[in-house]
PDB file of all heavy atoms in Angstrom:
ATOM      1  N   ARG A  16       3.328 -13.908   9.631  1.00 93.00           N
ATOM      2  CA  ARG A  16       4.765 -13.651   9.815  1.00 93.00           C
ATOM      3  C   ARG A  16       5.597 -13.807   8.568  1.00 93.00           C
ATOM      4  O   ARG A  16       6.790 -14.056   8.571  1.00 93.00           O
ATOM      5  CB  ARG A  16       5.410 -14.433  10.994  1.00 93.00           C
ATOM      6  CG  ARG A  16       4.581 -14.445  12.288  1.00 93.00           C
ATOM      7  CD  ARG A  16       4.481 -13.074  12.861  1.00 93.00           C
ATOM      8  NE  ARG A  16       5.701 -12.516  13.374  1.00 93.00           N
ATOM      9  CZ  ARG A  16       5.848 -11.378  13.839  1.00 93.00           C
ATOM     10  NH1 ARG A  16       4.837 -10.518  13.881  1.00 93.00           N
ATOM     11  NH2 ARG A  16       6.993 -10.905  14.295  1.00 93.00           N
ATOM     12  N   THR A  17       4.933 -13.702   7.388  1.00 93.00           N
ATOM     13  CA  THR A  17       5.616 -13.786   6.105  1.00 93.00           C
ATOM     14  C   THR A  17       4.786 -13.015   5.039  1.00 93.00           C
ATOM     15  O   THR A  17       3.619 -12.952   5.218  1.00 93.00           O
ATOM     16  CB  THR A  17       5.811 -15.217   5.605  1.00 93.00           C
ATOM     17  OG1 THR A  17       6.560 -15.197   4.405  1.00 93.00           O
ATOM     18  CG2 THR A  17       4.602 -15.958   5.450  1.00 93.00           C
ATOM     19  N   SER A  18       5.518 -12.481   4.074  1.00 91.00           N
ATOM     20  CA  SER A  18       4.804 -11.749   3.055  1.00 91.00           C
ATOM     21  C   SER A  18       4.883 -12.473   1.656  1.00 91.00           C
ATOM     22  O   SER A  18       4.646 -11.916   0.633  1.00 91.00           O
ATOM     23  CB  SER A  18       5.368 -10.341   2.884  1.00 91.00           C
ATOM     24  OG  SER A  18       6.766 -10.484   2.436  1.00 91.00           O
ATOM     25  N   LYS A  19       5.121 -13.804   1.750  1.00 89.00           N
ATOM     26  CA  LYS A  19       5.334 -14.582   0.450  1.00 89.00           C
ATOM     27  C   LYS A  19       4.051 -14.579  -0.374  1.00 89.00           C
ATOM     28  O   LYS A  19       4.112 -14.857  -1.520  1.00 89.00           O
ATOM     29  CB  LYS A  19       5.821 -15.953   0.767  1.00 89.00           C
ATOM     30  CG  LYS A  19       4.847 -16.908   1.409  1.00 89.00           C
ATOM     31  CD  LYS A  19       5.468 -18.237   1.609  1.00 89.00           C
ATOM     32  CE  LYS A  19       4.437 -19.195   2.261  1.00 89.00           C
ATOM     33  NZ  LYS A  19       4.967 -20.555   2.405  1.00 89.00           N
ATOM     34  N   SER A  20       2.846 -14.400   0.247  1.00 86.00           N
ATOM     35  CA  SER A  20       1.624 -14.523  -0.538  1.00 86.00           C
ATOM     36  C   SER A  20       1.166 -13.064  -0.991  1.00 86.00           C
ATOM     37  O   SER A  20       0.115 -12.994  -1.637  1.00 86.00           O
ATOM     38  CB  SER A  20       0.579 -15.162   0.331  1.00 86.00           C
ATOM     39  OG  SER A  20       0.208 -14.324   1.442  1.00 86.00           O
ATOM     40  N   VAL A  21       2.002 -12.012  -0.725  1.00 87.00           N
ATOM     41  CA  VAL A  21       1.600 -10.754  -1.129  1.00 87.00           C
ATOM     42  C   VAL A  21       2.440 -10.312  -2.340  1.00 87.00           C
ATOM     43  O   VAL A  21       3.693 -10.496  -2.333  1.00 87.00           O
ATOM     44  CB  VAL A  21       1.802  -9.761   0.032  1.00 87.00           C
ATOM     45  CG1 VAL A  21       1.536  -8.322  -0.373  1.00 87.00           C
ATOM     46  CG2 VAL A  21       0.987 -10.131   1.236  1.00 87.00           C
ATOM     47  N   SER A  22       1.789  -9.756  -3.347  1.00 89.00           N
ATOM     48  CA  SER A  22       2.490  -9.191  -4.498  1.00 89.00           C
ATOM     49  C   SER A  22       2.960  -7.778  -4.226  1.00 89.00           C
ATOM     50  O   SER A  22       2.172  -6.825  -4.284  1.00 89.00           O
ATOM     51  CB  SER A  22       1.557  -9.276  -5.713  1.00 89.00           C
ATOM     52  OG  SER A  22       2.229  -8.530  -6.800  1.00 89.00           O
ATOM     53  N   VAL A  23       4.238  -7.617  -3.895  1.00 91.00           N
ATOM     54  CA  VAL A  23       4.813  -6.291  -3.648  1.00 91.00           C
ATOM     55  C   VAL A  23       4.756  -5.457  -4.916  1.00 91.00           C
ATOM     56  O   VAL A  23       4.503  -4.248  -4.820  1.00 91.00           O
ATOM     57  CB  VAL A  23       6.149  -6.439  -3.025  1.00 91.00           C
ATOM     58  CG1 VAL A  23       6.713  -4.995  -2.843  1.00 91.00           C
ATOM     59  CG2 VAL A  23       6.230  -7.180  -1.780  1.00 91.00           C
ATOM     60  N   GLY A  24       5.002  -6.104  -6.040  1.00 93.00           N
ATOM     61  CA  GLY A  24       4.836  -5.333  -7.284  1.00 93.00           C
ATOM     62  C   GLY A  24       3.518  -4.715  -7.472  1.00 93.00           C
ATOM     63  O   GLY A  24       3.345  -3.552  -7.913  1.00 93.00           O
ATOM     64  N   TYR A  25       2.510  -5.457  -7.214  1.00 92.00           N
ATOM     65  CA  TYR A  25       1.112  -4.915  -7.365  1.00 92.00           C
ATOM     66  C   TYR A  25       0.834  -3.765  -6.375  1.00 92.00           C
ATOM     67  O   TYR A  25       0.280  -2.701  -6.714  1.00 92.00           O
ATOM     68  CB  TYR A  25       0.078  -6.041  -7.028  1.00 92.00           C
ATOM     69  CG  TYR A  25      -1.352  -5.559  -7.000  1.00 92.00           C
ATOM     70  CD1 TYR A  25      -2.016  -5.226  -8.223  1.00 92.00           C
ATOM     71  CD2 TYR A  25      -2.039  -5.451  -5.786  1.00 92.00           C
ATOM     72  CE1 TYR A  25      -3.288  -4.842  -8.145  1.00 92.00           C
ATOM     73  CE2 TYR A  25      -3.354  -5.008  -5.785  1.00 92.00           C
ATOM     74  CZ  TYR A  25      -3.920  -4.739  -6.960  1.00 92.00           C
ATOM     75  OH  TYR A  25      -5.272  -4.293  -6.945  1.00 92.00           O
ATOM     76  N   MET A  26       1.377  -3.932  -5.174  1.00 92.00           N
ATOM     77  CA  MET A  26       1.281  -2.793  -4.191  1.00 92.00           C
ATOM     78  C   MET A  26       1.987  -1.513  -4.626  1.00 92.00           C
ATOM     79  O   MET A  26       1.578  -0.474  -4.465  1.00 92.00           O
ATOM     80  CB  MET A  26       1.738  -3.259  -2.849  1.00 92.00           C
ATOM     81  CG  MET A  26       0.910  -4.292  -2.157  1.00 92.00           C
ATOM     82  SD  MET A  26      -0.850  -3.879  -2.069  1.00 92.00           S
ATOM     83  CE  MET A  26      -0.818  -2.392  -1.178  1.00 92.00           C
ATOM     84  N   GLN A  27       3.137  -1.756  -5.290  1.00 95.00           N
ATOM     85  CA  GLN A  27       3.961  -0.606  -5.834  1.00 95.00           C
ATOM     86  C   GLN A  27       3.193   0.039  -6.962  1.00 95.00           C
ATOM     87  O   GLN A  27       3.140   1.314  -6.966  1.00 95.00           O
ATOM     88  CB  GLN A  27       5.220  -1.130  -6.326  1.00 95.00           C
ATOM     89  CG  GLN A  27       6.157  -1.468  -5.177  1.00 95.00           C
ATOM     90  CD  GLN A  27       7.441  -2.197  -5.635  1.00 95.00           C
ATOM     91  OE1 GLN A  27       7.524  -2.721  -6.720  1.00 95.00           O
ATOM     92  NE2 GLN A  27       8.439  -2.146  -4.788  1.00 95.00           N
ATOM     93  N   VAL A  28       2.493  -0.704  -7.796  1.00 95.00           N
ATOM     94  CA  VAL A  28       1.614  -0.129  -8.841  1.00 95.00           C
ATOM     95  C   VAL A  28       0.433   0.653  -8.263  1.00 95.00           C
ATOM     96  O   VAL A  28       0.153   1.809  -8.671  1.00 95.00           O
ATOM     97  CB  VAL A  28       1.147  -1.191  -9.841  1.00 95.00           C
ATOM     98  CG1 VAL A  28       0.102  -0.654 -10.795  1.00 95.00           C
ATOM     99  CG2 VAL A  28       2.281  -1.799 -10.620  1.00 95.00           C
ATOM    100  N   LEU A  29      -0.150   0.052  -7.279  1.00 93.00           N
ATOM    101  CA  LEU A  29      -1.200   0.841  -6.543  1.00 93.00           C
ATOM    102  C   LEU A  29      -0.692   2.086  -5.930  1.00 93.00           C
ATOM    103  O   LEU A  29      -1.334   3.130  -6.054  1.00 93.00           O
ATOM    104  CB  LEU A  29      -1.841  -0.040  -5.440  1.00 93.00           C
ATOM    105  CG  LEU A  29      -2.911  -0.973  -5.783  1.00 93.00           C
ATOM    106  CD1 LEU A  29      -3.420  -1.713  -4.542  1.00 93.00           C
ATOM    107  CD2 LEU A  29      -4.123  -0.306  -6.391  1.00 93.00           C
ATOM    108  N   LEU A  30       0.474   2.041  -5.288  1.00 95.00           N
ATOM    109  CA  LEU A  30       1.056   3.264  -4.686  1.00 95.00           C
ATOM    110  C   LEU A  30       1.304   4.336  -5.713  1.00 95.00           C
ATOM    111  O   LEU A  30       1.001   5.540  -5.492  1.00 95.00           O
ATOM    112  CB  LEU A  30       2.393   2.896  -4.045  1.00 95.00           C
ATOM    113  CG  LEU A  30       3.126   4.022  -3.329  1.00 95.00           C
ATOM    114  CD1 LEU A  30       2.270   4.650  -2.223  1.00 95.00           C
ATOM    115  CD2 LEU A  30       4.478   3.579  -2.845  1.00 95.00           C
ATOM    116  N   VAL A  31       1.791   4.018  -6.878  1.00 97.00           N
ATOM    117  CA  VAL A  31       2.008   5.034  -7.952  1.00 97.00           C
ATOM    118  C   VAL A  31       0.683   5.587  -8.392  1.00 97.00           C
ATOM    119  O   VAL A  31       0.570   6.796  -8.539  1.00 97.00           O
ATOM    120  CB  VAL A  31       2.743   4.331  -9.180  1.00 97.00           C
ATOM    121  CG1 VAL A  31       2.712   5.320 -10.338  1.00 97.00           C
ATOM    122  CG2 VAL A  31       4.168   4.007  -8.742  1.00 97.00           C
TER     123      VAL A  31
END
Side-chain angles (χ1 to χ4, degrees):
R16 311 299 289 174
T17 182
S18 64
K19 70 178 181 179
S20 64
V21 176
S22 172
V23 176
Y25 175 73
M26 291 308 304
Q27 290 170 335
V28 169
L29 273 180
L30 179 62
V31 170

